[in-house]
Amino acid sequence: MLAMNYRGPYRVRVDHKPMPEIQHPRDAIVQVTRACICGSDLHLYHGMVPDTRVGSTFGHEFIGIVREVGTAVENLKVGDKVLVPFNIACGQCVFCRQGLFANCHESNSMSTAVGGIFGYSHIAGGFDGGQAEYVRVPYADVGPTVIPEGMNDEDALLLTDVLPTGYQAAEMGGIKTGDTVVVFGAGPVGIMAARCAWLFGAGRVIVIDHLEYRLEFVKKYAPCEAYNFKSMDDPVVFIKRMTDWLGADVCIDAVGSDACGNAMQTITGKKLLLQAGSATALHWAINSVKKGGIVSIVGVYGPTDNLVPIGNVVNKGITVRANQTSVKRLLPRLIEHIQNGILSPKDIITHRFALEDIAEAYHIFSSKLDACIKPVLVP
Ligand code: NAD
Ligand code: ZN
């Protein structure tokens, strides 16, 4: 079969790989019909995630058709069209039983922090992902969910990660009616977080990024206020000024590690300059939230990002909440929102590529070329 093959930082291609096989009675084999590239994949692509091994296949956002099931999988049958949450979760451990599927204790023997994730290096279990024609799905009786009759495939695709992640970002923010919510990052995750903030009763939603095309998009899609940090002397002062000098009620970090320093290069020469890997958006979030406010982090960080202004967290009495998303927990209510027309995640998809064109797809998404917001691969 054809599958993405990681060759080292900034080097990906498609190669023939052996067909995946059932290795455990709870496995299934899924033929992938659509897979996304995620901002999280860019951390792998940029070489930021430790133990990302050459030869591995990325891809944790995919849908497809069940082609084979292990003897213990009773809720799926061959031919079912499924969406597969990015978390690999046993469904039975102490964490899964609380709905913390992202923190499953059984699916990832490499780490006591994160549970297993498809195609996300050996720190997330070393599983191959779905940027391929076929993928092995462990614990197939837990995550995979049959796509509801009548649901658009690409809406279902975005239920595997970015919509639930944006929703969880807003949920962790503990948004109360009338709150001012600032979202850092207008990528797919930030766009979804801004859209979902309204569902929790936000009174005002402000998005900060530096890519004009994304700011224009989120302004209409969320809809919200959106500002370019390149045109500010200091984003923290900018937000304070907009909030009677109190700060925002809730700040959401939908940026994460900026290992390549893209954002920073754009403000070189101004006093804001911070080093790549210095968690700029998180600094801004902590410093611009009001005293007693909540900072919700869904951005993913690597080992180079350990500099956090912890003093301000203490002195301002801020609550910081963070996690990978437990997709399965959120599916029922998000499926309902899509079916009722309240959410339409597929509208953020801007690009579709053949799997064979994966190198071009990564390059365009990583470099933010061609007004790319969310790219989809079609095997
Ligand atoms: P993306 O790369 O498409 O978007 C990130 C956006 O942040 C870009 O538009 C970029 O211009 C902007 N940005 C960079 N520095 C900034 C700064 N200092 N302030 C404001 N904006 C800044 O990625 P994405 O797909 O939207 O993902 C965003 C983050 O969410 C990534 O770190 C990703 O790994 C993470 N993520 C987490 C989960 C989870 O379960 N917690 C799931 C999916 C993605
Ligand atoms: Zn993702």
Side-chain angles (χ1 to χ4, degrees), residues 4-9 11-13 15 53-56 58:
M4 180 266 194
N5 183 349
Y6 174 69
R7 306 310 302 160
R11 287 167 57 220
V12 298
R13 66 181 193 220
D15 279 327
R53 299 190 191 170
V54 167
S56 55
F58 303 166

Side-chain angles (χ1 to χ4, degrees), residues 32 34-35 59-64 82-84 118 130 135 137 157 160:
V32 178
R34 287 262 187 302
H60 57 269
E61 303 181 4
F62 59 90
I63 60 169
V82 288
L83 69 95
V84 182
F118 289 97
V135 58
V137 177
L157 178 61
T160 62

Side-chain angles (χ1 to χ4, degrees), residues 272-337:
L272 297 175
L273 182 66
L274 291 169
Q275 296 297 308
S278 59
T280 316
L282 181 54
H283 279 251
W284 291 345
I286 289 171
N287 292 336
S288 59
V289 79
K290 74 174 185 195
K291 295 176 206 167
I294 298 182
V295 173
S296 167
I297 309 170
V298 285
V300 164
Y301 284 97
T304 54
D305 294 291
N306 289 329
L307 280 171
V308 174
I310 191 70
N312 284 353
V313 173
V314 177
N315 292 339
K316 294 173 77 177
I318 297 168
T319 300
V320 178
R321 300 191 66 195
N323 208 343
Q324 296 277 354
T325 306
S326 290
V327 173
K328 179 87 181 176
R329 179 178 68 83
L330 299 170
L331 281 181
R333 73 189 86 158
L334 292 175
I335 287 173
E336 207 177 298
H337 283 331

Side-chain angles (χ1 to χ4, degrees), residues 213-232:
Y213 75 92
R214 290 185 168 197
L215 293 168
E216 284 311 310
F217 182 88
V218 74
K219 249 190 245 179
K220 294 195 196 89
Y221 182 85
C224 61
E225 299 164 62
Y227 299 100
N228 190 329
F229 65 72
K230 273 202 278 181
S231 63
M232 302 168 190

Side-chain angles (χ1 to χ4, degrees), residues 39-40 43 161 188-189 209-210 214 254-255 298 300 323-325 368:
S40 296
H43 301 316
D161 182 348
V189 171
D209 200 300
H210 67 114
R214 290 185 168 197
V255 177
V298 285
V300 164
N323 208 343
Q324 296 277 354
T325 306
K368 314 301 190 223

Side-chain angles (χ1 to χ4, degrees), residues 20-219:
E21 288 172 1
I22 300 272
Q23 294 175 21
H24 183 280
R26 293 177 72 186
D27 287 355
I29 304 297
V30 168
Q31 179 179 8
V32 178
T33 55
R34 287 262 187 302
C36 294
I37 305 177
C38 177
S40 296
D41 292 323
L42 296 181
H43 301 316
L44 300 167
Y45 180 70
H46 297 153
M48 183 276 277
V49 182
D51 212 1
T52 304
R53 299 190 191 170
V54 167
S56 55
T57 296
F58 303 166
H60 57 269
E61 303 181 4
F62 59 90
I63 60 169
I65 299 164
V66 176
R67 291 299 181 207
E68 210 182 328
V69 288
T71 52
V73 180
E74 288 175 358
N75 56 327
L76 295 179
K77 57 182 190 315
V78 170
D80 280 346
K81 201 153 94 178
V82 288
L83 69 95
V84 182
F86 77 84
N87 321 105
I88 298 175
C90 77
Q92 295 165 346
C93 70
V94 61
F95 301 111
C96 284
R97 286 203 308 272
Q98 296 173 61
L100 291 169
F101 297 101
N103 311 102
C104 174
H105 206 52
E106 294 299 318
S107 58
N108 181 8
S109 57
M110 321 272 178
S111 162
T112 51
V114 75
I117 300 176
F118 289 97
Y120 215 75
S121 87
H122 276 67
I123 64 164
F127 299 94
D128 268 340
Q131 289 168 5
E133 289 180 310
Y134 294 86
V135 58
R136 177 173 82 94
V137 177
Y139 302 113
D141 51 342
V142 178
T145 301
V146 175
I147 298 176
E149 196 65 34
M151 178 172 286
N152 178 285
D153 278 5
E154 290 184 341
D155 275 333
L157 178 61
L158 295 190
L159 278 169
T160 62
D161 182 348
V162 293
L163 174 57
T165 296
Y167 187 90
Q168 184 172 298
E171 183 187 59
M172 289 194 304
I175 299 167
K176 295 183 297 302
T177 306
D179 273 357
T180 295
V181 179
V182 176
V183 180
F184 292 91
V189 171
I191 291 169
M192 292 301 169
R195 181 76 187 78
C196 291
W198 298 113
L199 301 179
F200 290 86
R204 189 175 185 190
V205 179
I206 299 166
V207 175
I208 308 286
D209 200 300
H210 67 114
L211 299 172
E212 279 299 333
Y213 75 92
R214 290 185 168 197
L215 293 168
E216 284 311 310
F217 182 88
V218 74
K219 249 190 245 179

